[in-house]
mmCIF file of all heavy atoms in Angstrom:
data_model
loop_
_atom_site.group_PDB
_atom_site.id
_atom_site.type_symbol
_atom_site.label_atom_id
_atom_site.label_comp_id
_atom_site.label_asym_id
_atom_site.label_seq_id
_atom_site.Cartn_x
_atom_site.Cartn_y
_atom_site.Cartn_z
ATOM 1 N N SER A 240 -16.107 -4.389 -14.757
ATOM 2 C CA SER A 240 -17.517 -4.796 -15.087
ATOM 3 C C SER A 240 -17.814 -4.623 -16.487
ATOM 4 O O SER A 240 -17.215 -3.671 -17.143
ATOM 5 C CB SER A 240 -18.506 -3.979 -14.228
ATOM 6 O OG SER A 240 -18.418 -2.669 -14.615
ATOM 7 N N GLY A 241 -18.607 -5.532 -17.132
ATOM 8 C CA GLY A 241 -18.830 -5.362 -18.532
ATOM 9 C C GLY A 241 -17.744 -5.969 -19.406
ATOM 10 O O GLY A 241 -16.731 -5.509 -19.508
ATOM 11 N N ARG A 242 -18.160 -7.172 -20.159
ATOM 12 C CA ARG A 242 -17.273 -7.799 -20.892
ATOM 13 C C ARG A 242 -16.748 -6.931 -22.124
ATOM 14 O O ARG A 242 -15.542 -6.926 -22.541
ATOM 15 C CB ARG A 242 -17.841 -9.131 -21.528
ATOM 16 C CG ARG A 242 -18.100 -10.099 -20.411
ATOM 17 C CD ARG A 242 -18.566 -11.409 -21.004
ATOM 18 N NE ARG A 242 -18.857 -12.424 -19.886
ATOM 19 C CZ ARG A 242 -17.909 -13.185 -19.324
ATOM 20 N NH1 ARG A 242 -16.671 -13.071 -19.681
ATOM 21 N NH2 ARG A 242 -18.345 -14.048 -18.333
ATOM 22 N N THR A 243 -17.524 -6.140 -22.713
ATOM 23 C CA THR A 243 -17.235 -5.326 -23.903
ATOM 24 C C THR A 243 -16.138 -4.249 -23.487
ATOM 25 O O THR A 243 -15.275 -3.977 -24.300
ATOM 26 C CB THR A 243 -18.467 -4.654 -24.435
ATOM 27 O OG1 THR A 243 -19.094 -3.790 -23.425
ATOM 28 C CG2 THR A 243 -19.448 -5.675 -24.954
ATOM 29 N N PHE A 244 -16.187 -3.686 -22.317
ATOM 30 C CA PHE A 244 -15.309 -2.725 -21.898
ATOM 31 C C PHE A 244 -13.942 -3.266 -21.368
ATOM 32 O O PHE A 244 -12.900 -2.436 -21.302
ATOM 33 C CB PHE A 244 -15.866 -1.912 -20.743
ATOM 34 C CG PHE A 244 -17.073 -1.177 -21.025
ATOM 35 C CD1 PHE A 244 -18.379 -1.664 -20.868
ATOM 36 C CD2 PHE A 244 -16.962 0.078 -21.703
ATOM 37 C CE1 PHE A 244 -19.474 -0.850 -20.979
ATOM 38 C CE2 PHE A 244 -18.124 0.776 -22.088
ATOM 39 C CZ PHE A 244 -19.363 0.274 -21.674
ATOM 40 N N SER A 245 -13.841 -4.617 -21.400
ATOM 41 C CA SER A 245 -12.553 -5.138 -20.998
ATOM 42 C C SER A 245 -11.631 -5.062 -22.238
ATOM 43 O O SER A 245 -10.251 -5.296 -22.005
ATOM 44 C CB SER A 245 -12.675 -6.577 -20.585
ATOM 45 O OG SER A 245 -13.093 -7.404 -21.779
ATOM 46 N N MET A 246 -11.919 -4.656 -23.313
ATOM 47 C CA MET A 246 -11.105 -4.539 -24.517
ATOM 48 C C MET A 246 -10.279 -3.222 -24.596
ATOM 49 O O MET A 246 -9.501 -2.979 -25.462
ATOM 50 C CB MET A 246 -11.936 -4.814 -25.693
ATOM 51 C CG MET A 246 -12.417 -6.169 -25.884
ATOM 52 S SD MET A 246 -11.101 -7.393 -25.859
ATOM 53 C CE MET A 246 -10.048 -7.025 -27.304
ATOM 54 N N TYR A 247 -10.746 -2.323 -23.744
ATOM 55 C CA TYR A 247 -10.091 -0.876 -23.683
ATOM 56 C C TYR A 247 -8.625 -1.121 -23.067
ATOM 57 O O TYR A 247 -8.404 -2.036 -22.112
ATOM 58 C CB TYR A 247 -10.780 0.047 -22.793
ATOM 59 C CG TYR A 247 -12.023 0.623 -23.608
ATOM 60 C CD1 TYR A 247 -13.251 0.016 -23.588
ATOM 61 C CD2 TYR A 247 -11.839 1.885 -24.274
ATOM 62 C CE1 TYR A 247 -14.313 0.489 -24.238
ATOM 63 C CE2 TYR A 247 -12.941 2.325 -25.034
ATOM 64 C CZ TYR A 247 -14.253 1.673 -24.996
ATOM 65 O OH TYR A 247 -15.322 2.171 -25.562
ATOM 66 N N ALA A 248 -7.710 -0.290 -23.440
ATOM 67 C CA ALA A 248 -6.310 -0.195 -22.772
ATOM 68 C C ALA A 248 -6.582 0.099 -21.254
ATOM 69 O O ALA A 248 -7.468 0.698 -20.921
ATOM 70 C CB ALA A 248 -5.537 0.813 -23.446
ATOM 71 N N MET A 249 -5.720 -0.481 -20.351
ATOM 72 C CA MET A 249 -5.820 -0.315 -19.114
ATOM 73 C C MET A 249 -4.454 0.016 -18.447
ATOM 74 O O MET A 249 -3.375 -0.321 -19.131
ATOM 75 C CB MET A 249 -6.312 -1.704 -18.320
ATOM 76 C CG MET A 249 -7.755 -2.087 -18.835
ATOM 77 S SD MET A 249 -8.819 -1.122 -17.953
ATOM 78 C CE MET A 249 -8.785 -1.588 -16.319
ATOM 79 N N SER A 250 -4.392 0.706 -17.468
ATOM 80 C CA SER A 250 -3.146 1.203 -16.772
ATOM 81 C C SER A 250 -3.194 0.920 -15.270
ATOM 82 O O SER A 250 -4.289 0.877 -14.700
ATOM 83 C CB SER A 250 -2.812 2.594 -17.001
ATOM 84 O OG SER A 250 -2.565 2.770 -18.478
ATOM 85 N N TRP A 251 -1.990 0.795 -14.637
ATOM 86 C CA TRP A 251 -1.786 0.814 -13.216
ATOM 87 C C TRP A 251 -1.139 2.024 -12.864
ATOM 88 O O TRP A 251 -0.166 2.474 -13.533
ATOM 89 C CB TRP A 251 -1.125 -0.389 -12.757
ATOM 90 C CG TRP A 251 -1.768 -1.675 -12.742
ATOM 91 C CD1 TRP A 251 -1.741 -2.596 -13.836
ATOM 92 C CD2 TRP A 251 -2.661 -2.180 -11.799
ATOM 93 N NE1 TRP A 251 -2.637 -3.723 -13.427
ATOM 94 C CE2 TRP A 251 -3.123 -3.491 -12.203
ATOM 95 C CE3 TRP A 251 -3.018 -1.735 -10.471
ATOM 96 C CZ2 TRP A 251 -3.944 -4.246 -11.425
ATOM 97 C CZ3 TRP A 251 -3.895 -2.546 -9.656
ATOM 98 C CH2 TRP A 251 -4.354 -3.726 -10.241
ATOM 99 N N PHE A 252 -1.639 2.716 -11.777
ATOM 100 C CA PHE A 252 -0.876 3.799 -11.213
ATOM 101 C C PHE A 252 -0.760 3.613 -9.791
ATOM 102 O O PHE A 252 -1.306 2.777 -9.163
ATOM 103 C CB PHE A 252 -1.753 5.109 -11.364
ATOM 104 C CG PHE A 252 -1.947 5.642 -12.735
ATOM 105 C CD1 PHE A 252 -2.785 5.101 -13.609
ATOM 106 C CD2 PHE A 252 -1.151 6.657 -13.199
ATOM 107 C CE1 PHE A 252 -3.048 5.486 -14.990
ATOM 108 C CE2 PHE A 252 -1.279 7.045 -14.431
ATOM 109 C CZ PHE A 252 -2.256 6.641 -15.346
ATOM 110 N N ARG A 253 0.185 4.403 -9.173
ATOM 111 C CA ARG A 253 0.283 4.255 -7.723
ATOM 112 C C ARG A 253 0.612 5.627 -6.998
ATOM 113 O O ARG A 253 1.090 6.482 -7.755
ATOM 114 C CB ARG A 253 1.453 3.231 -7.402
ATOM 115 C CG ARG A 253 2.887 3.883 -7.824
ATOM 116 C CD ARG A 253 3.947 2.761 -7.563
ATOM 117 N NE ARG A 253 5.313 3.280 -7.791
ATOM 118 C CZ ARG A 253 6.339 2.446 -7.896
ATOM 119 N NH1 ARG A 253 6.296 1.284 -7.555
ATOM 120 N NH2 ARG A 253 7.545 3.066 -8.200
ATOM 121 N N GLN A 254 0.232 5.701 -5.801
ATOM 122 C CA GLN A 254 0.473 6.972 -5.181
ATOM 123 C C GLN A 254 0.796 6.793 -3.621
ATOM 124 O O GLN A 254 0.018 5.990 -2.890
ATOM 125 C CB GLN A 254 -0.904 7.898 -5.156
ATOM 126 C CG GLN A 254 -0.727 9.176 -4.596
ATOM 127 C CD GLN A 254 -1.827 10.123 -4.852
ATOM 128 O OE1 GLN A 254 -2.972 9.634 -5.094
ATOM 129 N NE2 GLN A 254 -1.564 11.370 -4.930
ATOM 130 N N ALA A 255 1.927 7.249 -3.118
ATOM 131 C CA ALA A 255 2.383 7.115 -1.773
ATOM 132 C C ALA A 255 1.832 8.372 -1.080
ATOM 133 O O ALA A 255 1.691 9.452 -1.741
ATOM 134 C CB ALA A 255 3.876 7.003 -1.795
ATOM 135 N N PRO A 256 1.662 8.334 0.290
ATOM 136 C CA PRO A 256 1.292 9.649 1.004
ATOM 137 C C PRO A 256 2.207 10.771 0.767
ATOM 138 O O PRO A 256 3.481 10.583 0.888
ATOM 139 C CB PRO A 256 1.323 9.098 2.463
ATOM 140 C CG PRO A 256 1.073 7.632 2.317
ATOM 141 C CD PRO A 256 1.841 7.255 1.047
ATOM 142 N N GLY A 257 1.713 11.895 0.534
ATOM 143 C CA GLY A 257 2.423 13.072 0.231
ATOM 144 C C GLY A 257 3.130 13.179 -1.113
ATOM 145 O O GLY A 257 3.886 14.158 -1.330
ATOM 146 N N LYS A 258 2.866 12.229 -1.951
ATOM 147 C CA LYS A 258 3.509 12.134 -3.273
ATOM 148 C C LYS A 258 2.517 12.268 -4.346
ATOM 149 O O LYS A 258 1.297 11.955 -4.070
ATOM 150 C CB LYS A 258 4.338 10.864 -3.465
ATOM 151 C CG LYS A 258 5.414 10.574 -2.412
ATOM 152 C CD LYS A 258 6.586 11.602 -2.617
ATOM 153 C CE LYS A 258 7.622 11.279 -1.658
ATOM 154 N NZ LYS A 258 8.887 12.294 -1.748
ATOM 155 N N GLU A 259 2.841 12.650 -5.570
ATOM 156 C CA GLU A 259 2.082 12.715 -6.670
ATOM 157 C C GLU A 259 1.727 11.242 -7.154
ATOM 158 O O GLU A 259 2.517 10.419 -7.002
ATOM 159 C CB GLU A 259 2.693 13.567 -7.730
ATOM 160 C CG GLU A 259 2.617 14.989 -7.400
ATOM 161 C CD GLU A 259 3.084 15.854 -8.633
ATOM 162 O OE1 GLU A 259 3.583 15.271 -9.600
ATOM 163 O OE2 GLU A 259 3.026 17.074 -8.602
ATOM 164 N N ARG A 260 0.558 11.140 -7.859
ATOM 165 C CA ARG A 260 0.280 9.895 -8.479
ATOM 166 C C ARG A 260 1.205 9.634 -9.602
ATOM 167 O O ARG A 260 1.440 10.469 -10.357
ATOM 168 C CB ARG A 260 -1.197 9.881 -8.877
ATOM 169 C CG ARG A 260 -1.654 8.527 -9.492
ATOM 170 C CD ARG A 260 -3.099 8.703 -9.812
ATOM 171 N NE ARG A 260 -3.379 9.653 -10.853
ATOM 172 C CZ ARG A 260 -4.597 10.309 -11.112
ATOM 173 N NH1 ARG A 260 -5.715 9.822 -10.392
ATOM 174 N NH2 ARG A 260 -4.697 11.141 -12.043
ATOM 175 N N GLU A 261 1.711 8.394 -9.817
ATOM 176 C CA GLU A 261 2.575 8.128 -10.777
ATOM 177 C C GLU A 261 2.212 6.885 -11.599
ATOM 178 O O GLU A 261 1.630 6.079 -11.171
ATOM 179 C CB GLU A 261 4.054 7.918 -10.382
ATOM 180 C CG GLU A 261 4.376 6.758 -9.407
ATOM 181 C CD GLU A 261 5.690 6.543 -9.075
ATOM 182 O OE1 GLU A 261 6.584 6.913 -9.809
ATOM 183 O OE2 GLU A 261 5.985 5.876 -8.071
ATOM 184 N N PHE A 262 2.418 6.933 -12.917
ATOM 185 C CA PHE A 262 2.202 5.940 -13.807
ATOM 186 C C PHE A 262 3.027 4.689 -13.646
ATOM 187 O O PHE A 262 4.399 4.869 -13.427
ATOM 188 C CB PHE A 262 2.290 6.475 -15.243
ATOM 189 C CG PHE A 262 2.328 5.252 -16.267
ATOM 190 C CD1 PHE A 262 1.086 4.797 -16.734
ATOM 191 C CD2 PHE A 262 3.485 4.789 -16.751
ATOM 192 C CE1 PHE A 262 1.151 3.796 -17.679
ATOM 193 C CE2 PHE A 262 3.501 3.642 -17.683
ATOM 194 C CZ PHE A 262 2.286 3.190 -18.194
ATOM 195 N N VAL A 263 2.621 3.592 -13.643
ATOM 196 C CA VAL A 263 3.242 2.209 -13.521
ATOM 197 C C VAL A 263 3.291 1.431 -14.667
ATOM 198 O O VAL A 263 4.477 1.107 -15.197
ATOM 199 C CB VAL A 263 2.665 1.453 -12.226
ATOM 200 C CG1 VAL A 263 3.371 0.072 -12.078
ATOM 201 C CG2 VAL A 263 2.630 2.198 -10.960
ATOM 202 N N ALA A 264 2.265 1.177 -15.268
ATOM 203 C CA ALA A 264 2.257 0.161 -16.424
ATOM 204 C C ALA A 264 1.027 0.365 -17.196
ATOM 205 O O ALA A 264 -0.038 0.809 -16.637
ATOM 206 C CB ALA A 264 2.496 -1.217 -16.017
ATOM 207 N N ALA A 265 1.076 0.086 -18.445
ATOM 208 C CA ALA A 265 -0.154 0.044 -19.389
ATOM 209 C C ALA A 265 -0.268 -1.151 -20.249
ATOM 210 O O ALA A 265 0.847 -1.625 -20.666
ATOM 211 C CB ALA A 265 -0.239 1.470 -20.123
ATOM 212 N N ILE A 266 -1.305 -1.560 -20.611
ATOM 213 C CA ILE A 266 -1.519 -2.508 -21.567
ATOM 214 C C ILE A 266 -2.638 -2.170 -22.639
ATOM 215 O O ILE A 266 -3.618 -1.733 -22.132
ATOM 216 C CB ILE A 266 -1.775 -3.899 -20.887
ATOM 217 C CG1 ILE A 266 -1.877 -5.014 -21.821
ATOM 218 C CG2 ILE A 266 -3.184 -3.793 -20.030
ATOM 219 C CD1 ILE A 266 -1.773 -6.409 -21.097
ATOM 220 N N SER A 267 -2.438 -2.561 -23.749
ATOM 221 C CA SER A 267 -3.438 -2.250 -24.861
ATOM 222 C C SER A 267 -4.641 -3.138 -24.745
ATOM 223 O O SER A 267 -4.610 -4.194 -23.926
ATOM 224 C CB SER A 267 -2.753 -2.385 -26.279
ATOM 225 O OG SER A 267 -2.244 -3.821 -26.442
ATOM 226 N N GLY A 268 -5.644 -2.905 -25.439
ATOM 227 C CA GLY A 268 -6.843 -3.774 -25.328
ATOM 228 C C GLY A 268 -6.789 -5.125 -25.701
ATOM 229 O O GLY A 268 -7.247 -6.104 -25.113
ATOM 230 N N SER A 269 -5.756 -5.359 -26.745
ATOM 231 C CA SER A 269 -5.532 -6.773 -27.143
ATOM 232 C C SER A 269 -4.588 -7.512 -26.216
ATOM 233 O O SER A 269 -4.514 -8.749 -26.170
ATOM 234 C CB SER A 269 -4.867 -6.683 -28.474
ATOM 235 O OG SER A 269 -3.669 -6.179 -28.508
#
């Protein structure tokens, strides 16, 4: 939500049952 906030860097994480959350990928604002 919010067009202005879409310029922030964003990441994907994943978590399986019984496992810790882990980093998957990230992308800069541009």
Side-chain angles (χ1 to χ4, degrees):
S240 64
R242 294 185 182 278
T243 58
F244 296 100
S245 68
M246 295 302 297
Y247 283 86
M249 297 285 291
S250 294
W251 285 95
F252 291 83
R253 66 187 183 186
Q254 186 169 28
K258 302 291 185 179
E259 293 185 348
R260 183 177 62 199
E261 66 174 335
F262 169 82
V263 177
I266 186 168
S267 63
S269 68

